[in-house]
Amino acid sequence: MRTVIVGAGSAGLMCAWKLSEDPGHEVVLVDAGTDPGPEVPGELRTEILLPPHYYWPYADEATGAFLPRGKVFGGSSAVNAAAAVRGHPWCYDAWGSDLWSYEACLPAFRAIEADRQFGHDDHHGADGPIAITRYEQSAFDLAFQDTYRRHGHDPVPDHNAPGALGFGPFPTNHVDGVRMSTLVAVLPRIRARAHVRLLPDSEVLRVLVSGGAACGVVLRDARGEHLVEADQVILSAGTFGTPEILFQSGIGPADALRAAWIPVVTDAPQLGTNLSDHVLFQMNVEVTDASELPMPGGRGTLLTYELPGENHPQAQMFAYHAPFFDPTAAPDTAAVAAALVTPESRGRLTLGRGRAKVRLGHLSDPLDRVRAADIVTRAADLVDDLAAQGRVKLPDSPWWRGEDLSEACRAQALTYHHPVGTCRMSRDGDGVVDEYLRVRGVEGLSVADASVMPTVPRAHTNLAAMMIGYRAATFAAR
C-alpha cells in the first residue's frame, strides 16, 4: 500500500507519523515548502517574524491583510505563536457526528501530547511528540490576573481541562525556548523510516483521477512536472491549499470548473464555502514601568469566558508584548487582545486558475458585530482599570472609546489566523468529505486538515489540526 500525503504541516506530518508506524505501509510525503533538514535552523525553532519564503502569499481580498500560512515542512506549526489550546467538548460535539464527538477525539488528543503539568490526568497525555507547558507569569501578567479577578472571573490552572473557563497561563508548545512544531517534534521520528519518502520543494498541481478513483498526484519540482503514483491520496495542504488542489483536480462547483476550462470529475458545490475564522481586536497601550512588560504572545495569561446567548458563545482576552508580532511597536507597548472565538460570519474562497481569492468575511453577520462590541467594551474596562492603577497609559482618543463601537470594530477587525471549514465534513451528502474524511465522488482520496472542520473550535486550531491528522491515519490504515 502506498499513500501519498500532500502537505507536511500540522496535520500532514502527524498523519505520516501515525500511518508509517506500519513498516509495510509506504508513505510519500510531498510539500511545496523546503525541508530544512535534521538540524532545524534557529529561526524556525524560536522566531515568529520569518523571511517571506517561509509563507504562502495569501491575503484577504477585502482588506489586503496578509494571511500567513507556513510554506515549509511543519507548515503553520513551524511559524506560529505555539499556543496549545484544544477547545471544549461542545466544540467537537457540535460537529454533528458521533465519530467526531469530544469523547471520540480525546484519545487522539492524548496520543499527540506530552503535557508537563497535567500529563497524567485522564484527559491528557504524557508520552506524545508535542510537549506542552505553562510558564510562570510576569509581573504585568500577574497584575492582569488580579484585574480579571476584580471583574468577576475565576482562575483556572488548565485551559485544556474539559469546560474550563476563566484566567490562567496559556498552554503552549513553545518549550525550553523552542517551538515544538511538527517540524521539530514529529519529522525526526519518521525521517529515518525507510518506507517514508520525503519530497520537499514539490508543489502538487492536481490529483490524478482514473475510473472514479485517485491514482496519484501530478507535481512540479526542479525537474518539471511528473506523476507520483499512489493507492490512496490524503490532502493536508490546509484550509486554503487543499481546496485549490481539489479544484484543479476537477472537484468543485461544476459551473466554476467549466468556467475555468477544467474537466468536471465530481460536482462539489460546497468547496470553498463555509470559511470561518476567529476575529481579533487589539488595543495598544504604553506600559509605564518598562521593567514589567507582558510576556510574548501565547505565553502569558489567557482569559476565556462565555457571552450571553445559546450554544456557548465565547470570547478570549490576553495581553502580550506588542513587538513580539510588530517590530515597529515601541518597546514599552503592551497589546491587549480580545477575540470572538464563536463567529457566525462566514467567508469563502473564490476558486479558479491559480491561487484562490480569500474573503474571510469577518463581522458580516450582525450578531457578530453586537458580540464584538460587547467584548471590546469589557476589554476596555479592564484596560481602564490598569490605567487607574498607573500600570498603563492610554493613547489619545483610543479607537475603542468611539461613539459607534460596532463600526469601529469592523474597521479594526483582525484575523486570529485560525481559518477552517472550506472542505466541510458532514454525515449527509452536503459536505465535501464524509465522516471518514473521504472526498465524496472519488475513491481513494481524503482530506486531513483544518479545512474539514464544520465549525471553528473555541481555541487555537493547531492541536485540533494535529488531532485530525492523527485520526485520518487510523482511517487510512483500514
Side-chain angles (χ1 to χ4, degrees):
M1 168 71 79
R2 173 190 282 182
T3 298
V4 170
I5 300 174
V6 180
S10 299
L13 268 171
M14 197 63 74
C15 183
W17 171 60
K18 179 62 176 173
L19 197 58
S20 63
E21 287 180 341
D22 177 2
H25 197 131
E26 183 182 357
V27 174
V28 182
L29 187 58
V30 187
D31 198 281
T34 185
D35 172 9
E39 297 298 325
V40 177
E43 60 188 0
L44 286 172
R45 295 167 65 85
T46 62
E47 300 300 318
I48 191 68
L49 301 173
L50 295 165
H53 63 267
Y54 286 130
Y55 303 99
W56 290 96
Y58 294 108
D60 186 351
E61 191 177 33
T63 66
F66 178 49
L67 306 176
R69 300 285 89 194
K71 188 180 181 183
V72 61
F73 269 52
S76 293
S77 79
V79 302
N80 67 7
V85 186
R86 288 182 188 166
H88 298 294
W90 43 87
C91 297
Y92 304 96
D93 294 345
W95 287 0
S97 167
D98 291 342
L99 193 62
W100 289 93
S101 69
Y102 177 75
E103 289 301 319
C105 295
L106 184 57
F109 275 124
R110 296 184 66 208
I112 66 179
E113 75 173 13
D115 192 299
R116 292 194 170 185
Q117 286 80 35
F118 301 99
H120 297 290
D121 288 0
D122 289 344
H123 52 274
H124 277 297
D127 303 313
I130 305 298
I132 294 173
T133 194
R134 295 149 189 85
Y135 286 100
E136 291 186 12
Q137 302 293 279
S138 72
F140 185 95
D141 289 284
L142 291 174
F144 220 92
Q145 290 187 11
D146 289 340
T147 305
Y148 288 145
R149 186 180 286 106
R150 281 197 302 276
H151 285 252
H153 301 287
D154 296 321
V156 291
D158 176 20
H159 274 295
N160 286 335
L165 291 166
F167 64 88
F170 251 113
T172 178
N173 57 296
H174 191 279
V175 179
D176 298 331
V178 176
R179 180 194 292 113
M180 291 297 168
S181 62
T182 53
L183 168 65
V184 170
V186 178
L187 184 56
R189 296 176 180 237
I190 66 175
R191 192 182 288 280
R193 292 176 177 173
H195 55 291
V196 176
R197 182 183 175 198
L198 305 178
L199 297 181
D201 303 304
S202 302
E203 183 172 5
V204 169
L205 304 178
R206 62 188 180 276
V207 178
L208 192 63
V209 180
S210 178
C215 58
V217 298
V218 177
L219 60 80
R220 180 172 55 217
D221 60 14
R223 297 176 296 156
E225 293 185 15
H226 53 96
L227 169 68
V228 177
E229 295 181 340
D231 297 301
Q232 63 179 344
V233 175
I234 300 174
L235 297 181
S236 297
T239 295
F240 303 154
T242 289
E244 290 178 335
I245 295 171
L246 287 172
F247 191 83
Q248 299 301 328
S249 307
I251 301 162
D255 289 345
L257 287 166
R258 295 187 188 102
W261 298 96
I262 298 173
V264 178
V265 171
T266 188
D267 182 23
Q270 284 279 346
L271 185 71
T273 67
N274 193 51
L275 174 59
S276 182
D277 179 42
H278 297 150
V279 58
L280 186 76
F281 308 95
Q282 184 166 300
M283 291 162 270
N284 283 3
V285 294
E286 178 187 339
V287 179
T288 54
D289 184 348
S291 68
E292 295 187 356
L293 294 169
M295 299 180 74
R299 276 168 266 174
T301 294
L302 172 66
L303 168 68
T304 60
Y305 69 91
E306 290 195 344
L307 300 159
E310 299 178 350
N311 300 318
H312 303 281
Q314 187 177 309
Q316 286 187 3
M317 290 185 195
F318 57 95
Y320 66 91
H321 190 211
F324 179 70
F325 286 119
D326 180 6
T328 68
D332 58 353
T333 303
V336 178
L340 172 62
V341 293
T342 48
E344 300 293 330
S345 302
R346 294 293 181 269
R348 67 179 299 121
L349 303 186
T350 303
L351 296 158
R353 294 292 188 182
R355 294 268 83 85
K357 295 179 180 179
V358 182
R359 280 187 174 265
L360 293 176
H362 287 155
L363 303 188
S364 55
D365 188 287
L367 181 56
D368 284 353
R369 295 196 288 275
V370 171
R371 288 174 171 169
D374 181 276
I375 291 167
V376 170
T377 297
R378 296 195 197 196
D381 289 342
L382 290 164
V383 171
D384 284 351
D385 193 328
L386 289 171
Q389 297 174 44
R391 291 187 174 274
V392 302
K393 180 181 179 182
L394 274 61
D396 296 333
S397 302
W399 71 263
W400 55 90
R401 287 305 191 193
E403 291 185 2
D404 191 342
L405 188 53
S406 179
E407 283 305 307
C409 287
R410 294 190 76 173
Q412 296 290 332
L414 302 170
T415 174
Y416 204 173
H417 306 300
H418 301 147
V420 308
T422 52
C423 299
R424 183 174 66 88
M425 167 181 56
S426 70
R427 296 179 62 184
D428 55 29
D430 197 32
V432 177
V433 301
D434 67 14
E435 292 178 282
Y436 292 92
L437 308 184
R438 299 172 297 202
V439 174
R440 288 190 163 93
V442 181
E443 293 185 10
L445 178 61
S446 301
V447 174
D449 56 35
S451 72
V452 305
M453 298 183 191
T455 55
V456 63
R458 296 157 179 80
H460 309 74
T461 50
N462 194 31
L463 288 185
M466 293 183 194
M467 176 273 293
I468 288 170
Y470 184 95
R471 299 200 68 205
T474 65
F475 301 151
R478 294 177 180 175

